[in-house]
Every structure is written in structure tokens, then in C-alpha cells.
Amino acid sequence: MHNIKKIPLFTALRYAPKNLLQILGLSCMSNTFFYAFFAYMPDYLSHYANLSSHQAFWIQSLFLTIMLFLVPLAGVFGDRWGRKKVLIIATSSIVLFTLPCFYLVNVQNVGLIMLSLMIATLISSLEQGSRTALLVEICPVDIRYSGISVAYNLGAAIFGGTCPLIMMTLIQMYTPIAPAYYIILTGGIGLLTTLTLSNHLQKDFSLTTLQTNEVENDTASETPGFSCNSGAG
């Protein structure tokens, strides 16, 4: 039986700040990419891709429907090949393919717009299928509800909530392609965050396990056998 903390949020901030930052980093990447391509995109298409609002919303609805079937499939891939590996592929794809996707949209050809959004749908589905389970495995079980809800939703509010505003501002200041670089930046944050995750995450580990591992690592680093001066006359 796990010992649920009386004030789990304060406990999380004190004993698991790295875990909360990892969740925040994944939320930054995930929400920015999703809001850019599936929340703001209909407005973007109607203004810069020569589509009517009606056409833009139908295209959005089509790819959101496709995503309903792709996300569970991506979850299966994560279970089979490892969620961290799948998330590395997804975040790397955000960095590599966001700019080409924006260029395809701005060609103002319906076929290329569909191709661009299909690529974005595949990337977002791949990311969602693994990221959701990873959030659970990142956070110790005795602070999990508070840790995930605060860290993830803080990222959703800061990065997802402001994404349309930031995109519109970048377009007005620079070009319709400019938002791609902001999305690439947040994708890079997601990639770096993913690389910091342990290769052996456990869904039922607790703060006690986390603290024990830290003590063991500190002890190992202080053991004479590990010292650069060990054996010195």
C-alpha cells in the first residue's frame, strides 16, 4: 500500500521537481503542436491557404476523426517497442517536418494541404499514443494526481492556450511561415525532455523508491573505489 501524502503538491515540488519539469516539457511540446495544427489551423487555412472557413473546418474534422483510430494504434506501438523510443521518433519528427508542412500549406494546393495535415496527424497520433502513458510512469504514485494535473495543465495553459496568439503575432511580425519555428523550438524541448527520461520507468514506483535510488547513486559516487584518487600513494 502506497503512502498518499497529505499535501501531495508541496511534496512533489520538494522531492520530485525533476519529474514535474519533465511532465511540463512534454506538455509544452504536445500542446503547442496540437493547438497549432488542430485548433488554430482552420483559421490559418482560411486566411493563408485560400480555403473557405467551411472547407477548413471539414478538413480539420476529417483529420481529427482519423486521429481517433491512429492514437490507439500508436499506443500499441509504444507497448511493443517502448514508449520512450516512440516518443523520440515523434518529437524528432516535429523538429524535422513542421517547416515542410507549413510550406506545403502555403502552396495553396488542396492536395498538398491534405498531405501536410496527414503528416501532422501521424506525428500527433504517435506522440499522444505514448506520451499519455509516460506521464503516469514519470510521476511517483503517491503524488501522481497532483503532480500530473498541475505540471501538465500548467504547460497546456501556458503553451497550448497561448499558441494561437503567438502564431498570429509571429505572422503579423514576420511571415505566415514564422510560427513553424516556434513549434520546432517546443518540439526540441520535447525531444530533450524525452532523452532525459529513464529507460526503465515503472508505473507503480513511489517517492520512497525515488529517494532510495538517489541515496544509492550518491553513495556509489562517494565510494572510494569510484574516486579518482583511490589507490594513490
Side-chain angles (χ1 to χ4, degrees), residues 43 187 192 198:
D43 189 59
L192 292 176
S198 170

Side-chain angles (χ1 to χ4, degrees), residues 3-225:
N3 180 25
I4 306 302
K5 304 302 179 183
K6 186 175 181 179
I7 310 179
L9 178 58
F10 292 163
T11 304
L13 291 171
R14 180 178 179 182
Y15 294 107
K18 178 182 176 182
N19 305 66
L20 299 187
L21 285 174
Q22 288 172 329
I23 295 170
L24 181 63
L26 294 180
S27 177
C28 160
M29 168 273 302
S30 172
N31 284 288
T32 300
F33 188 79
F34 184 87
Y35 275 76
F37 277 97
F38 301 100
Y40 181 68
M41 189 54 66
D43 189 59
Y44 186 92
L45 292 177
S46 63
H47 281 84
Y48 306 105
N50 201 28
L51 296 180
S52 68
S53 297
H54 182 76
Q55 290 173 315
F57 279 110
W58 268 108
I59 290 174
Q60 179 201 41
S61 298
L62 170 64
F63 286 107
L64 286 174
T65 302
I66 293 173
M67 192 182 291
L68 286 174
F69 300 94
L70 291 180
V71 171
L73 186 60
V76 173
F77 291 156
D79 288 339
R80 179 166 298 182
W81 297 327
R83 283 180 275 278
K84 181 177 177 179
K85 292 179 181 178
V86 173
L87 200 57
I88 288 174
I89 293 172
T91 52
S92 299
S93 298
I94 291 175
V95 174
L96 293 173
F97 292 110
T98 295
L99 189 59
C101 283
F102 268 79
Y103 274 109
L104 289 175
V105 168
N106 280 271
V107 172
Q108 299 185 354
N109 176 280
V110 174
L112 294 179
I113 291 171
M114 299 289 280
L115 175 61
S116 171
L117 294 181
M118 188 67 240
I119 294 171
T121 300
L122 288 171
I123 294 172
S124 185
S125 299
L126 200 62
E127 176 269 320
Q128 291 181 64
S130 291
R131 181 253 306 154
T132 306
L134 268 176
L135 296 179
V136 175
E137 296 174 344
I138 289 171
C139 207
V141 68
D142 34 9
I143 58 169
R144 185 165 289 165
Y145 287 145
S146 297
I148 294 177
S149 62
V150 172
Y152 183 81
N153 288 300
L154 185 64
I158 294 174
F159 297 100
T162 62
C163 182
L165 175 62
I166 291 174
M167 290 181 67
M168 186 170 58
T169 302
L170 290 172
I171 291 169
Q172 292 175 348
M173 292 178 62
Y174 302 104
T175 71
I177 302 295
Y181 295 100
Y182 174 66
I183 299 169
I184 291 170
L185 173 63
T186 59
I189 292 173
L191 175 58
L192 292 176
T193 300
T194 304
L195 293 175
T196 68
L197 299 178
S198 170
N199 291 318
H200 305 288
L201 292 171
Q202 307 171 43
K203 66 178 181 179
D204 290 327
F205 83 106
S206 65
L207 274 175
T208 303
T209 306
L210 185 66
Q211 292 163 356
T212 300
N213 289 340
E214 290 177 353
V215 170
E216 289 177 350
N217 290 336
D218 291 342
T219 302
S221 64
E222 295 172 2
T223 301

